[in-house]
Amino acid sequence: MKIQRRALTLALMATPFALHAAEPVKIGFLVKQAEEPWFQDEWKFAEQAAKDKGFTLVKIGIPNGEKMMAAIDNLAAQKAVGFVICAPDVKLGVAVNRAAKRHKLKVMSVDDQLVDGAGKPIAEIPHMGISGYEIGKQVGQALVAEMKTRGWKLDEVGALRVAFDQLPTARDRTMGAIDALKAAGLPAANVVDAPQAKTDTESAFNAANIAFTKNAKFKRWVAVGLNDEAALGAVRAGEGRGMKHDEMLAIGIGGSQTALNEFTKPTPTGFFGTVLISPKRHGYETAVFVYEWATQGKAPPPVTLTAGTLMTRQNQAELRKQMGL
Ligand code: FCA
């Protein structure tokens, strides 16, 4: 009897620890626009990391600040150890940092670098993003090359910049593209800004429509934006106004399903290409970084910037294969 009771006590004592040890580590992955193919791809590769490393991934869409704060609290309640975040507004950086500290969660940003009240990047939150300005330049240079092929005269072409300047990476990307166009000889006066209210196709479509109406003097256009959705919105707006394939030339940034849908249409549209970036690196590596940070104390590199490659109808299948997509 005595022995039995002792065994029972030991068993009871051991239980909480045993349960704890058996519980998988949880990592959150919070994204501002869960419906966007890029973020779906990031999640997919983060899931792959979770499978490879043996942790559980908690995916939450955070379209606004309120949902974002609730998601962080929710992660803490689920005993997650950290999270990756692409916030709905980078100016929420201080709030994110504070919430993470309060709950003792490791936090790393992806795609959009969080800033403080003065607009300065928060250095203590590790970040993985794209080299926005460089990738933008690639967009601009590819537009120049294709305009040459088509025999377009640069001084007759309008350059539509679908702009979302409150997001630094968006500004860097589109400014890089415009700078490359100007460097090749496109007159500064031909650049038309079209500010979009959100970073989706519909907002870009609305912004482009207004810009085209106001600048009817241009018969040919090139269009750039922070992502494929922005470039595509401009293309759709052009089509709505009767612009043909040889009057509109747009190159996006991304290379996820939004671009692929355009490339697989039987007839080419004004969406000529995209700079393919890596949802695999952004999804997989950030998830692993946070996992290793929380479980092994290994802090991620402060900033990682990834590169891109021009993708068109011609090289899309091969290029995506090469990138493991
Ligand atoms: C930003 C954009 C996304 C994607 C990502 C890499 O978050 O909004 O569309 O381009 O950067």
Side-chain angles (χ1 to χ4, degrees):
M1 181 65 186
K2 203 172 171 195
I3 291 171
Q4 257 178 16
R5 207 184 297 141
R6 202 163 155 244
L8 186 66
T9 312
L10 279 176
L12 281 175
M13 273 175 65
T15 312
F17 297 100
L19 268 181
H20 191 76
E23 255 180 58
V25 170
K26 276 187 190 157
I27 306 281
F29 206 114
L30 316 186
V31 302
K32 63 179 182 180
Q33 269 162 307
E35 70 288 355
E36 190 183 304
W38 165 263
F39 293 109
Q40 291 287 329
D41 283 351
E42 266 183 353
W43 270 351
K44 182 175 91 189
F45 290 111
E47 282 283 12
Q48 200 176 303
K51 218 168 133 225
D52 291 352
K53 301 282 170 184
F55 60 86
T56 298
L57 189 77
V58 183
K59 299 177 290 189
I60 310 177
I62 47 164
N64 57 50
E66 215 175 297
K67 294 227 163 79
M68 181 191 81
M69 293 313 287
I72 299 174
D73 290 344
N74 177 313
L75 286 176
Q78 293 193 49
K79 304 213 162 32
V81 293
F83 62 99
V84 180
I85 186 167
C86 181
D89 181 344
V90 290
K91 288 191 222 75
L92 291 165
V94 172
V96 171
N97 209 15
R98 218 179 273 146
K101 284 211 171 109
R102 186 173 62 241
H103 292 306
K104 297 196 170 52
L105 293 163
K106 301 290 188 214
V107 56
M108 157 155 207
S109 58
V110 70
D111 304 333
D112 301 351
Q113 188 167 26
L114 294 163
V115 298
D116 63 17
K120 238 179 78 227
I122 301 180
E124 65 178 306
I125 302 181
H127 175 68
M128 181 184 282
I130 67 168
S131 340
Y133 188 77
E134 282 311 309
I135 285 174
K137 262 171 60 186
Q138 277 173 270
V139 168
Q141 284 158 359
L143 288 172
V144 170
E146 181 58 18
M147 280 194 279
K148 276 205 181 120
T149 307
R150 295 181 180 194
W152 291 14
K153 292 200 188 79
L154 260 68
D155 54 349
E156 293 173 9
V157 176
L160 188 76
R161 185 176 77 95
V162 178
F164 193 72
D165 288 346
Q166 56 269 56
L167 178 61
T169 181
R171 188 178 160 79
D172 291 349
R173 298 175 196 186
T174 54
M175 288 314 228
I178 295 299
D179 284 352
L181 289 168
K182 284 196 213 154
L186 185 119
N190 292 20
V191 177
V192 176
D193 278 358
Q196 56 180 164
K198 286 189 345 194
T199 55
D200 58 10
T201 304
E202 193 188 338
S203 305
F205 175 88
N206 294 334
N209 251 328
I210 297 169
F212 288 146
T213 305
K214 284 194 189 154
N215 296 275
K217 62 175 184 283
F218 294 113
K219 298 291 172 260
R220 282 180 168 151
W221 286 92
V222 291
V224 302
L226 91 153
N227 58 15
D228 288 336
E229 287 72 17
L232 188 62
V235 170
R236 289 289 102 90
E239 286 166 352
R241 309 173 75 85
M243 276 182 221
K244 307 245 169 47
H245 162 235
D246 64 347
E247 291 162 329
M248 161 60 74
L249 178 57
I251 297 185
I253 293 172
S256 292
Q257 201 55 47
T258 304
L260 299 180
N261 287 345
E262 284 302 294
F263 293 156
T264 46
K265 285 184 176 160
T267 346
T269 68
F271 191 92
F272 175 77
T274 180
V275 174
L276 177 66
I277 51 178
S278 178
K280 186 172 183 183
R281 291 203 58 191
H282 287 224
Y284 194 103
E285 289 180 30
T286 55
V288 170
F289 276 151
V290 171
Y291 172 73
E292 290 181 346
W293 193 10
T295 58
Q296 297 155 33
K298 200 171 111 195
V303 177
T304 309
L305 296 179
T306 60
T309 314
L310 181 68
M311 180 166 88
T312 61
R313 281 182 168 245
Q314 278 68 43
N315 68 353
Q316 53 123 348
E318 200 194 309
L319 197 60
R320 285 182 53 88
K321 204 168 133 209
Q322 259 175 37
M323 302 257 298
L325 301 171

